[in-house]
Amino acid sequence: MKKKMNLAIVALTIGVLSSFGSVSASAKAKVNYYRNVKDANYVVLHKKTPAYTTATLKYRRGTLKFWQDVRVTHIANVTKANGHRAFYYRIRTKSGKTGWVWRGWLGKVISTPTATTREGKMGSNSSTTQKTVKHFSNAEYRQAFLTGLNAERTKRGIAPLTEDSQLDQLADVRAPELIDNFSHYDASGNVLFEKHAQELGITTAVAENIAYMGDSDGGKAGSDEIVGGNSAAYYAKSNLHEFIYNDADSNWGHRDALLNPQYTIIGIGSAYVVGQDGDAKQYGVNNLG
C-alpha cells in the first residue's frame, strides 16, 4: 500500500551573499518583468504575512494567516524603493482572493510517495497501519548534513568545511526559534544570528541558511520523536538537496553560500516538533564562517 506524504519546503539565506526583507505599504516598487508559472501549491510560513494588490507593492490588500494554503500563478521580479531586487508571487486563496506576496514568506508544497508499514512489516496483509516512532537525533542530522555538504564541495574542488563548536552552539540556539518565527529577523528587524552571536561572544559567524519541512502525516508523538519511516539523516539530506539543487527561486543564494570557498567552518542545528494535530515540522539551520 502506498500513500502520499505532503512536504512543504522552503529555504532562506542571509549574510554576505544576500539578504531579505519586506517592503512597507507606502513604498512603491518597479516591476522588471513578470513570469507565468504552472499553478503550484504553497503554504504561508509567517504570521500576518502582508499581501499587496499589485506587484508595485503600493497598496496593501490585507494579511495571510500562518500555514494558510495558497496557489501561486505568477512571479514578478521587482526593484523595491530601497533599490534592492526581490521576487513576489501572485497568490490565490481557496476563497478566490488574490494578492502579491514576497516569496520568502511562502513554502512550496510537494508530494513524494512513501510506503506505509503494516504491523511493522512490509507486505503484511493486515489492514492495520503501524507507524514507527524513533527519537530525533540532532547529532545524526548534523553529521549527515556535514558529510553530504562536504561531498558536494569536494567533487567541485572546494575544500571541505570543518564543524565548529561555537557555530554549533549558535545553530542550536537558532533552530528552536524557527518554530515560532521562521525568519532571520526579530520583530524589530534585528538579524537574529548576529544578535545571538554577539551575546555568546562568537565573532566568526557571517552567514545563515534556514530550511523548513512540514509532514502532514506526522502522527501522534512527542516533540522530539520521529513518526514514520523517516530519520534525522533523511531530513538532513532533504534540506541539503533543496539548498544545492532546488534553489533557482532564490537565485542560488543558499547553494552559493554553502559552496563558497571563503567559508571554512560551519555550525549545524535542527528542531523537530509534532503538534497536537499530528502535523510534524522539521527546521534546519546552518551558520557559516
Side-chain angles (χ1 to χ4, degrees):
M1 176 180 175
K2 297 282 186 178
K3 66 179 179 180
K4 292 288 186 178
M5 178 176 66
N6 293 321
L7 303 176
I9 302 177
V10 66
L12 300 179
T13 184
I14 187 171
V16 175
L17 292 170
S18 60
S19 61
F20 299 91
S22 58
V23 68
S24 67
S26 59
K28 187 174 181 180
K30 174 187 175 183
V31 179
N32 301 308
Y33 62 84
Y34 292 97
R35 187 170 78 233
N36 293 336
V37 296
K38 184 178 180 180
D39 281 8
N41 294 320
Y42 281 73
V43 292
V44 178
L45 296 173
H46 192 269
K47 296 177 181 178
K48 297 182 179 179
T49 294
Y52 298 88
T53 55
T54 69
T56 61
L57 313 178
K58 179 63 176 176
Y59 300 106
R60 183 178 294 188
R61 178 163 189 172
T63 58
L64 299 172
K65 297 179 180 179
F66 178 70
W67 204 239
Q68 183 175 348
D69 293 312
V70 297
R71 299 277 288 179
V72 169
T73 60
H74 298 78
I75 297 174
N77 178 276
V78 306
T79 300
K80 299 186 290 185
N82 60 9
H84 295 164
R85 284 198 171 195
F87 285 97
Y88 277 75
Y89 290 174
R90 185 179 185 272
I91 60 93
R92 183 175 64 249
T93 66
K94 288 184 176 181
S95 63
K97 295 181 179 179
T98 61
W100 289 87
V101 177
W102 176 54
R103 70 172 178 195
W105 299 141
L106 302 174
K108 189 175 183 179
V109 176
I110 63 174
S111 294
T112 56
T114 183
T116 58
T117 303
R118 294 183 175 185
E119 294 191 341
K121 296 181 180 180
M122 294 299 297
S124 169
N125 293 324
S126 170
S127 61
T128 302
T129 298
Q130 178 67 45
K131 296 178 180 178
T132 303
V133 180
K134 64 178 293 185
H135 182 74
F136 185 91
S137 169
N138 279 313
E140 179 185 339
Y141 176 92
R142 184 173 285 146
Q143 184 59 52
F145 190 94
L146 182 60
T147 299
L149 174 56
N150 279 337
E152 295 288 348
R153 289 173 67 95
T154 299
K155 72 182 182 183
R156 293 170 173 82
I158 306 170
L161 294 170
T162 300
E163 185 178 357
D164 182 84
S165 60
Q166 285 192 322
L167 293 184
D168 275 346
Q169 183 183 9
L170 176 60
D172 284 341
V173 172
R174 286 288 292 125
E177 284 187 328
L178 300 176
I179 297 171
D180 294 319
N181 179 31
F182 186 78
S183 174
H184 296 292
Y185 306 95
D186 63 17
S188 300
N190 299 308
V191 178
L192 283 164
F193 89 84
E194 292 181 347
K195 175 183 175 182
H196 292 312
Q198 185 176 12
E199 293 170 348
L200 295 168
I202 299 172
T203 60
T204 53
V206 295
E208 176 178 88
N209 297 309
I210 60 177
Y212 163 86
M213 291 182 65
D215 177 2
S216 63
D217 189 42
K220 306 296 182 181
S223 62
D224 62 346
E225 294 175 325
I226 297 175
V227 184
N230 299 330
S231 65
Y234 163 84
Y235 285 107
K237 293 173 183 178
S238 297
N239 288 171
L240 180 62
H241 183 84
E242 293 301 308
F243 283 139
I244 302 295
Y245 294 103
N246 291 333
D247 199 35
D249 283 349
S250 298
N251 292 328
W252 303 100
H254 313 95
R255 179 199 63 183
D256 292 347
L258 291 169
L259 301 180
N260 188 338
Q262 295 182 355
Y263 296 150
T264 59
I265 55 177
I266 189 172
I268 303 163
S270 184
Y272 184 92
V273 294
V274 180
Q276 293 182 349
D277 57 0
D279 284 355
K281 301 175 179 66
Q282 179 268 330
Y283 302 85
V285 59
N286 55 83
N287 295 104
L288 298 151

